[in-house]
Amino acid sequence: MLGMCRGRRKFLAASLALVFIPALTWLYLSVGSFQGEDVKPLPLSPLEAQSPIPVVGAGERQALELRVRAVEEENRALRRELSRPPRSPSARLASGGHHGNQSRTHSEEGTGDNEGQKAAAVGNSSDCVQQPVVDKCETIHVAIVCAGYNASRDVVTLVKSVLFHRRNPLHFHFITDSIAQQILSSLFHTWMVPAVRVDFYDADELKSEVSWIPNKHYSGIYGLMKLVLTKTLPSDLQRVIVLDTDITFATDIAELWAVFHKFKGQQVLGLVENQSDWYLGNLWKNHRPWPALGRGFNTGVILLLLDRLRKLRWEQMWRLTAERELMSMLSTSLADQDIFNAVIKQNPFLVYQLPCFWNVQLSDHTRSEKCYKDVSDLKVIHWNSPKKLRVKNKHVEFFRNLYLTFLEYDGNLLRRELFGCPSETDHNSENLQKTLSELDEDDPCYEFRRERFTVHRTHLYFLHYEYEPSSDNADVTLVAQLSMDRLQMLEAICKHWEGPISLALYLSDAEAQQFLRYAQGSEVLMSRGNVGYHIVYKEGQFYPVNLLRNVAMRQVNTPYMFLSDIDFLPMYGLYEYLRYHVWIKGHKPTDFAKWRTATTPYRVQWEADFEPYVMVRRDSPEYDRRFVGFGWNKVAHIMELDAQEYEFVVLPNAYMIHMPHAPSFDITKFRSNKQYRVCLKTLKEEFQQNMSRRYGFAALKYMTAENNS
């Protein structure tokens, strides 16, 4: 064994150098990217002084990032070369030994078996022991319990961090309530990430399994549902990584998946030791925690061998333990974690102790700093304090910046193909590619036509939403769309319209977080629970105005909707006026001389270029997506309503106020770009031809009106 190590010393030195250089370069980029935010780089160890880190420009950073990726590829190639089985008989004999953990641990935690503990005693850093590997096309299964609007927003950052580092197909198993399922199913459907499968399991059907357990933890009943995963997940699923929503990955999740190969005997649970003194019972006078083995274990990251757990009758095991302990403890304080620890206390052979860098717990007064010496040691960060990003930790600024990196990272960049791995057929993706391939790229209006088929990642109900349907079946929702430059108009709209509102916001990932901070800092917006904010993430060069309108319309749950724009301010009382006094299909603010003196509603006829703000039933036609940016986006919709024989009725005592604002980017392009105007004219003609085919002779008036206008 020693002879083999000496013989390969120069190769191992090269490998370590290639591992170390990208790690330092990644730290260089990470800290450098936050210089513009006035964040000072923090030392990663109290024993190591950090040299000043220069600020680099965007171009230099991009070039450096490309270089880092190239070095990482070289590093992986060298590791693959070194991981090949040795050819000599002595080397083959040596390589048949124990598979140890090559990563260093910086705490007294073991690995759960005698051999692992011996390795830990000497630093657990033997470079001569081969690390278990995961086949590049092996699917990694991840289970997450997620309920409510806030958790659905938080879990996206976790998913981004996993997708950023991953090299394997992923299968997410979400245990959700109806709210989270609606949000996440729409998000993943529009995200269209290759080699990612998502399944949902109804948490409401599982409540009866754990509702008998009193729980004081802020996670509520959903904090107990990890206990029933053996019963919930498919019976043929053998192993799964279970994660809390407040986790951030700093490495490839395949490294954690590989740890399953180290389980021995009856080990069925992979857990990291709890890094606080909670289970030691010395936090305050008369503190009485649930029973635990030593410091206990944290369940924010769990490796579950489901097939073995089922054979061990896990369901019966945890239930009997919980019933016995609840007779004296009365309730859980840390949800499922208390019950997991009580079971392990009675059956310590079940647990494989993971090195603590697989769950660096950032709550107040933890021993998390013992889990790492530098950035290359970090694997998984766990924001397990109710304070989240405001937790007390010596290096919290570094951890916060790492979290914010993924929080604001462009999710569209994670739509990466995994080359060389066969994936399940995605019919939606295939149909989209087929449609796009049929477009003529030499067409001057190609970009306009392509935008119609762009799938924009969509996060419904970005903030908490509450709405109780009215008993009179006559409620109405204001529908509008906006971008970041119209954000300041939200408060005025909410003050003038007290009814439900459905808004589609066209934002980047970073802008979505700016919006979140803006909304949470506004008393007006936070006092309104009946406003649905739906984020459509930016992609492409056009403003997809009609797509945004359709997204907002689809989330309306009242019988009627008032179709408006964000820069038009309703008069005070318009919501009550529309709801209680008028029952109409639509209205048009025309013939103002008549409107000024009118005392009763009156009908008007459709004319060319009509684009009124209307109230219609929820099942009315959607907007035509071919119209993007400026021009004809509302006109085409009103034409469609008229073709379907909607009547236009003007309300004498209702009006909107147009709030002044700077010209939009799209109207500037319309005015300055001749090709833009030519393409808009082409799209108008194609729309009218489609109307003629669908509505026949009745649509002739639209062609005539256009020619005469």
Side-chain angles (χ1 to χ4, degrees), residues 122-301:
V122 294
N124 199 21
S125 59
S126 173
D127 294 313
C128 300
V129 183
Q130 187 173 343
Q131 177 82 6
V133 295
V134 179
D135 183 84
K136 77 169 187 175
C137 294
E138 180 178 352
T139 299
I140 296 174
H141 294 266
V142 181
I144 303 172
V145 179
C146 183
Y149 300 98
N150 294 337
S152 300
R153 189 176 64 244
D154 294 339
V155 78
V156 176
T157 306
L158 161 60
V159 171
K160 282 183 179 180
S161 70
V162 173
L163 291 176
F164 180 84
H165 297 287
R166 65 104 179 213
R167 296 294 183 269
N168 287 70
L170 297 173
H171 188 163
F172 288 101
H173 303 264
F174 286 104
I175 296 85
T176 61
D177 62 355
S178 58
I179 293 170
Q181 180 171 351
Q182 179 189 13
I183 295 171
L184 295 178
S185 62
S186 171
L187 177 65
F188 278 97
H189 178 73
T190 55
W191 204 340
M192 300 181 70
V193 182
V196 170
R197 177 178 171 183
V198 180
D199 282 326
F200 294 92
Y201 308 84
D202 190 353
D204 292 335
E205 295 181 359
L206 305 175
K207 286 183 176 180
S208 60
E209 302 284 341
V210 294
S211 59
W212 56 275
I213 305 173
N215 179 27
K216 294 180 179 178
H217 194 256
Y218 62 83
S219 60
I221 193 171
Y222 299 101
L224 298 164
M225 289 188 176
K226 284 184 280 188
L227 294 166
V228 297
L229 289 180
T230 54
K231 188 175 182 179
T232 306
L233 298 177
S235 58
D236 60 345
L237 182 59
Q238 297 183 354
R239 61 188 64 178
V240 68
I241 297 173
V242 186
L243 303 173
D244 281 354
T245 59
D246 52 1
I247 291 289
T248 305
F249 265 77
T251 191
D252 189 346
I253 195 172
E255 295 180 33
L256 181 57
W257 187 258
V259 178
F260 275 117
H261 296 296
K262 298 184 179 183
F263 282 33
K264 295 182 177 180
Q266 290 184 294
Q267 292 173 340
V268 291
L269 304 169
L271 292 163
V272 170
E273 185 182 55
N274 199 48
Q275 292 159 21
S276 75
D277 292 342
W278 178 270
Y279 287 108
L280 299 180
N282 58 10
L283 293 183
W284 59 79
K285 187 178 180 180
N286 299 325
H287 175 217
R288 185 167 171 253
W290 275 56
L293 191 65
R295 307 185 70 87
F297 294 90
N298 184 278
T299 56
V301 177

Side-chain angles (χ1 to χ4, degrees), residues 290-475:
W290 275 56
L293 191 65
R295 307 185 70 87
F297 294 90
N298 184 278
T299 56
V301 177
I302 315 176
L303 272 61
L304 291 183
L305 274 180
L306 297 170
D307 51 347
R308 293 190 196 173
L309 280 167
R310 295 180 182 113
K311 292 176 182 177
L312 290 172
R313 303 178 69 181
W314 167 254
E315 285 286 325
Q316 181 179 354
M317 187 182 296
W318 75 259
R319 285 177 181 274
L320 290 175
T321 302
E323 289 171 357
R324 181 181 66 248
E325 297 300 333
L326 283 170
M327 293 180 66
S328 58
M329 299 302 298
L330 302 181
S331 66
T332 61
S333 296
L334 299 181
D336 65 88
Q337 184 169 299
D338 284 338
I339 298 175
F340 270 102
N341 276 288
V343 173
I344 292 171
K345 175 75 172 179
Q346 296 295 320
N347 308 277
F349 58 87
L350 295 176
V351 69
Y352 177 94
Q353 184 169 331
L354 298 170
C356 69
F357 51 63
W358 283 118
N359 185 351
V360 179
Q361 300 150 38
L362 296 183
S363 56
D364 291 346
H365 312 300
T366 68
R367 301 160 66 246
S368 60
E369 294 171 19
K370 297 181 180 292
C371 295
Y372 58 90
K373 283 186 178 179
D374 54 46
V375 67
S376 62
D377 294 327
L378 293 173
K379 302 290 186 182
V380 174
I381 300 167
H382 186 189
W383 302 89
N384 61 319
S385 168
K387 298 179 181 179
K388 300 306 178 187
L389 298 186
R390 293 175 286 106
V391 70
K392 295 178 181 178
N393 182 280
K394 182 184 296 184
H395 303 131
V396 69
E397 285 299 320
F398 172 80
F399 293 119
R400 185 185 292 121
N401 288 339
L402 181 63
Y403 173 82
L404 292 176
T405 298
F406 291 115
L407 186 72
E408 301 184 353
Y409 189 82
D410 185 353
N412 297 328
L413 301 179
L414 298 171
R415 291 168 167 164
R416 298 193 299 256
E417 293 281 354
L418 295 184
F419 295 106
C421 293
S423 58
E424 296 182 7
T425 302
D426 185 342
H427 296 293
N428 291 331
S429 180
E430 282 189 349
N431 293 336
L432 176 60
Q433 293 302 321
K434 180 181 178 182
T435 301
L436 293 177
S437 66
E438 293 173 351
L439 296 178
D440 181 8
E441 295 189 21
D442 294 328
D443 182 353
C445 302
Y446 169 78
E447 294 297 335
F448 284 85
R449 302 188 194 284
R450 192 184 192 284
E451 174 59 33
R452 181 180 182 183
F453 303 104
T454 299
V455 179
H456 290 263
R457 185 165 41 103
T458 303
H459 187 134
L460 303 176
Y461 298 103
F462 198 67
L463 298 180
H464 185 79
Y465 180 75
E466 291 182 6
Y467 170 73
E468 289 292 333
S470 60
S471 58
D472 57 8
N473 199 34
D475 212 351

